Structure formats: C-alpha cells, structure tokens
Amino acid sequence: MGALTHESLVEYLIEEAYEVVDSIEAGKEEELAGELGDVLLQVVLHARLAEEHGRFDFDDVARAIAAKMVRRNPHVFRPDGTLQESFPATVEEIVQKWDAVKKAEKPGRSDPFEGIPPHLPALALAQKSLDRAERAGRAGRPAPAVVPVPVHATEAELGDYLLAVAAAAREQGFDAERALRGAVRRYQGDGEGTA
C-alpha cells in the first residue's frame, strides 16, 4: 500500500459518512456512535497528514469549527462563545440570520450556487440548488417532468417514482445521476449541462 494522502483517503471518508446515514435511516441507534467515530477517525487522519506537512493539526480543526459555530450562529452564541439569553421565535428568523452571516463572510459571492459541492450525488445537488435559489429569491423552476409526481405523494411514493425514472433511464442507456447533474448545471446557468 502506498503512502496515505488526502486524495487516497477521500473514498473512505465518503464511505464512512454514508454508513452514518445508513445507521440513522435504519434506526440503528446502537451503531451510530461507532459510525460517527469512524468519520471522526477520517478527520483525525486528514489532520495528522496535514500536521506532518506543517500545515495544521487537529487542534486547529477543532478551534476553526468552534469559531465557525459561534460566528455563524449569533442567534445561539454571543461573540465570546457564551449562550444568548433568548433565541429567535421562528425557523425563518434563524435562516435569515444564518444567511446574513454567510453573506457577510463572503461579500463577493453573488451566485447563490457558489459553494455547493459539485460532486454531491445528483439528487442532493438538485435539492441544495433549488433551496439556494429559493432563498436567494431567484424566480423560475426547472422544466416539469413529462410524468409529474402526484400532488399529494408520500415520501415513499416519491421514492418509487424516482426509482422508476432511474429504471427508465437505464433501459434507454442513460446514466440518471449524470443526467440530473447536467440538468442542475443548466438550472444553475453555467451552460455546461449537456452530457
């Protein structure tokens, strides 16, 4: 086995993160602590590699996330890290404060899609892009599908629908994940959405 690098560890970080998701969605509370520990191990390994190259260490990672939590959650924390005495009444107020802090951190960012990891799975990428567009007040929706999802569909029915769409794509020789990523890129307006 070759030397460990950030790049060589990426697949394990992703795998461990999905194992956390699996534990949560399967209701395996007894496995969750161990799976979270596996993700934390990946963080420790990345920090250790960076420390060996003199860039940062685990303490730097912990300090950075603590500072970010305080900075991005002024509705919860005072600047010194102590808890606020009262909290916003609604989720909308929390989202507005969060968005204001993020905008102040990156004042040059005008594209609501900037910062969304492009390698997210396509459905997650689509959902995140639609959420960001709505929060940015961007008008317009993607073109409707030929077969619309029933208006009052359950999440299980939506899952069945998406599975049927993926199956139909496969039968036609298409990669549904790649196709949806392309559609999201077109929606985001970069013009590179054809695959």
Side-chain angles (χ1 to χ4, degrees):
M1 182 175 186
L4 291 180
T5 65
H6 292 295
E7 294 78 13
S8 71
L9 290 172
V10 167
E11 69 177 287
Y12 304 108
L13 176 61
I14 292 169
E15 180 182 332
E16 297 300 353
Y18 277 115
E19 287 179 8
V20 169
V21 172
D22 183 54
S23 292
I24 292 169
E25 290 185 350
K28 298 177 180 175
E29 188 79 22
E30 69 283 357
E31 293 179 12
L32 185 56
E35 298 301 348
L36 289 168
D38 291 344
V39 171
L40 183 57
L41 174 61
Q42 294 301 309
V43 173
V44 169
L45 288 172
H46 282 278
R48 180 67 181 130
L49 285 171
E51 183 178 6
E52 289 174 2
H53 292 93
R55 294 191 306 265
F56 60 86
D57 63 16
F58 187 81
D59 288 344
D60 295 323
V61 172
R63 276 191 293 276
I65 192 61
K68 182 187 277 187
M69 288 301 296
V70 169
R71 186 177 65 248
R72 288 196 178 169
N73 294 283
H75 58 283
V76 176
F77 300 104
R78 294 184 182 106
D80 67 359
T82 60
L83 290 175
Q84 294 284 2
E85 290 180 24
S86 63
F87 304 103
T90 67
V91 172
E92 290 79 23
E93 289 176 299
I94 292 170
V95 169
Q96 286 174 349
K97 285 183 181 284
W98 175 272
D99 286 342
V101 169
K102 295 263 297 188
K103 190 170 191 164
E105 285 180 1
K106 312 221 182 210
R109 188 181 276 183
S110 59
D111 182 353
F113 307 116
E114 189 175 337
I116 298 174
H119 292 95
L120 280 174
L123 285 172
L125 179 62
Q127 190 164 328
K128 179 67 98 176
S129 296
L130 293 168
D131 178 60
R132 287 274 188 93
E134 180 181 321
R135 286 168 57 185
R138 179 176 164 161
R141 295 180 48 158
V146 175
V147 181
V149 175
V151 175
H152 299 289
T154 65
E155 194 167 281
E157 290 168 333
L158 174 61
D160 292 342
Y161 173 81
L162 292 171
L163 180 59
V165 169
R170 182 176 176 274
E171 286 175 14
Q172 295 180 52
F174 296 128
D175 179 323
E177 185 80 13
R178 184 175 58 229
L180 183 54
R181 266 195 311 274
V184 171
R185 285 193 303 270
R186 288 190 302 277
Y187 173 73
Q188 290 178 347
D190 73 0
E192 297 176 17
T194 55

